Amino acid sequence: MNKNFIFAILSTTFSISGIDILIPILPVNFLRITNSPALMGVLMGTTSLAAVLLRPISSSFIGKIGLKKSMIFGALILSVVAFSYSFTDSFRTLVVLRIFFGVGIILFFVSVWSLMGVIIPSEKRGFALSIYTVAFLFPYFYAPFIGTKLSGFTPFLISGILFLLAAGFCFFINDRGLHSKDGHGFFKTLFRRDLFVPGLIIFSV
């Protein structure tokens, strides 16, 4: 496996850890702020809605700034939002933060998935994607548990730091020329016969 693949794996694991640590924290925090299960549900769903709406146009933007910059930008957005969660009790502000969280997720994960599509040789794609899938899913085993043991600003601080580390690993990725090779975009990569099934699993989580 080449250097780009290793750092993409590390960046993905840290970013997923940052997301998963917040899984047990955010619903409780949002319910405390809104005092309404319905509004809590709106806040939890806003990120997914933003991500779904942005997917069709994300590839064009990523193609303009490049895969590496998009991954870094996405991870930094996630970090800023994670830090900001604990500083507001405003429902409207939280809606905005949840939208930006969706933006960060799309920028980072569409970019890293497109990167995988161009750096992995076809003869090694099955093995490499199995490693990537494990790296993607592994944080689910420990990060939510860690989140349940944290309180106050601590989980948001740790989550933000994990996103910063993910951005840091992205700096070691060399995407020179890769964005031009990926001019077909995310969806054509995703619907390639050898990538569709693992891609569907990953982006449905």
Side-chain angles (χ1 to χ4, degrees), residues 18 24 34 36 39 55 68 110 113 135 142 147 165 170-171 190 194:
T34 63
S36 167
L39 292 180
R55 279 187 186 184
K68 177 179 177 177
V110 171
W113 184 245
Y142 62 83
L165 290 172
C170 293
F171 279 100
L190 177 62
D194 53 347

Side-chain angles (χ1 to χ4, degrees), residues 19 21-48 78 81-102 105 152 155-156 159:
I19 292 173
I21 277 181
L22 298 178
I23 287 177
I25 302 296
L26 290 182
V28 176
N29 192 53
F30 292 162
L31 184 60
R32 176 186 61 80
I33 291 172
T34 63
N35 198 31
S36 167
L39 292 180
M40 179 198 71
V42 169
L43 289 173
M44 293 303 296
T46 298
T47 290
S48 297
L78 292 171
V81 172
F83 288 135
S84 300
Y85 276 139
S86 64
F87 293 111
T88 180
D89 288 331
S90 166
F91 175 77
R92 292 182 179 178
T93 303
L94 285 173
V95 169
V96 173
L97 289 176
R98 293 297 286 168
I99 291 173
F100 274 100
F101 205 70
I105 286 175
F156 304 107
S159 175

